[in-house]
Amino acid sequence: NAGVTQTPKFRVLKTGQSMTLLCAQDMNHEYMYWYRQDPGMGLRLIHYSVGEGTTAKGEVPDGYNVSRLKKQNFLLGLESAAPSQTSVYFCASTEIRANTGELFFGEGSRLTVL
Amino acid sequence: AQSVTQLGSHVSVSEGALVLLRCNYSSSVPPYLFWYVQYPNQGLQLLLKYTSAATLVKGINGFEAEFKKSETSFHLTKPSAHMSDAAEYFCAVSDSGGGADGLTFGKGTHLIIQP
């Protein structure tokens, strides 16, 4: 039972470098989300997708881009990393809208930007 | 726009004691409300949810929560704490009226269980 898988789990970047986080789900879910978790801030929505080929901005989208070329994958990109993007990133998916359904989370990707 | 406030970033209880984690919400439309739990180095998992059916909602691991519209609250309780309940707990709210997707999470409450 893979569920939601995030790669990589850990990454250290230098300011200005770029990287992509990959989220893969094997539950055939339509909806996928990227959140960031910071101490004392809870989880904040970065971007989300309501189906293959669609993306939408969440609460904190600046500095990030996303793509959903395949239904099972949701990619989060940082074009030019900044120290403020040091965080733990969580991907989640759900069969119906997160507003009413159960979100299934990956185990997180810990990113440090020096 | 909706929001949730979790009172207390850390709550400590003795094993076997009552667990009470507080959550108050703000929403301009009837809300849907959720409690998620996060164990160390893991993602979040759903404990329970309220979606306008019964106001007392029972979840996994013996937890329950009661929706009180008059108090705009959705507090999480468990009659008897177990060591395995030590985790971070998040209250979340969403718009039941079909607005923007995604949940709005509170800042979390770290539950500590004393032996």
Side-chain angles (χ1 to χ4, degrees):
Chain A
N1 284 346
V4 178
T5 303
Q6 294 181 227
T7 52
K9 288 184 169 46
F10 301 93
R11 185 74 187 269
V12 178
L13 289 177
K14 294 181 180 179
T15 297
Q17 287 184 318
S18 64
M19 74 158 294
T20 300
L21 297 177
L22 170 64
C23 176
Q25 53 95 2
D26 62 0
M27 298 172 282
N28 201 35
H29 287 168
E30 287 290 341
Y31 300 85
M32 297 186 74
Y33 308 82
W34 275 107
Y35 284 90
R36 61 177 288 173
Q37 182 180 31
D38 302 292
M41 299 291 291
L43 277 79
R44 293 179 291 170
L45 182 63
I46 305 171
H47 286 281
Y48 65 97
S49 169
V50 300
E52 181 178 318
T54 76
T55 63
K57 294 180 179 180
E59 179 187 355
V60 289
D62 294 343
Y64 305 94
N65 56 76
V66 288
S67 64
R68 183 99 180 269
L69 298 179
K70 294 182 178 180
K71 184 177 183 178
Q72 64 267 34
N73 296 338
F74 195 30
L75 278 65
L76 178 71
L78 286 70
E79 291 187 349
S80 179
S84 61
Q85 294 177 304
T86 293
S87 186
V88 181
Y89 293 85
F90 285 97
C91 177
S93 70
T94 183
E95 185 175 18
I96 57 178
R97 297 177 81 214
N99 292 26
T100 54
E102 175 180 356
L103 281 173
F104 292 86
F105 283 84
E107 294 187 342
S109 297
R110 186 175 296 273
L111 175 65
T112 301
V113 183
L114 302 176
Chain B
Q2 56 266 39
S3 65
V4 290
T5 301
Q6 293 185 238
L7 298 176
S9 59
H10 291 78
V11 170
S12 180
V13 302
S14 299
E15 189 175 17
L18 171 72
V19 174
L20 171 60
L21 304 183
R22 300 177 187 272
C23 172
N24 288 90
Y25 69 89
S26 173
S27 178
S28 58
V29 298
Y32 289 163
L33 293 157
F34 305 78
W35 277 99
Y36 279 82
V37 61
Q38 183 182 31
Y39 298 103
N41 299 314
Q42 295 186 25
L44 283 71
Q45 55 183 277
L46 181 67
L47 267 180
L48 50 81
K49 65 179 180 181
Y50 165 78
T51 56
S52 76
T55 56
L56 181 63
V57 182
K58 294 187 183 299
I60 61 172
N61 301 336
F63 285 93
E64 64 181 37
E66 186 172 8
F67 173 70
K68 292 187 176 180
K69 184 178 179 180
S70 61
E71 298 178 7
T72 62
S73 69
F74 190 57
H75 301 331
L76 181 71
T77 61
K78 181 174 181 178
S80 178
H82 192 273
M83 295 300 292
S84 61
D85 295 327
E88 191 87 15
Y89 292 79
F90 293 93
C91 183
V93 64
S94 73
D95 176 5
S96 66
D101 200 9
L103 300 182
T104 299
F105 285 87
K107 294 183 178 181
T109 298
H110 186 203
L111 178 62
I112 301 163
I113 310 297
Q114 304 281 3

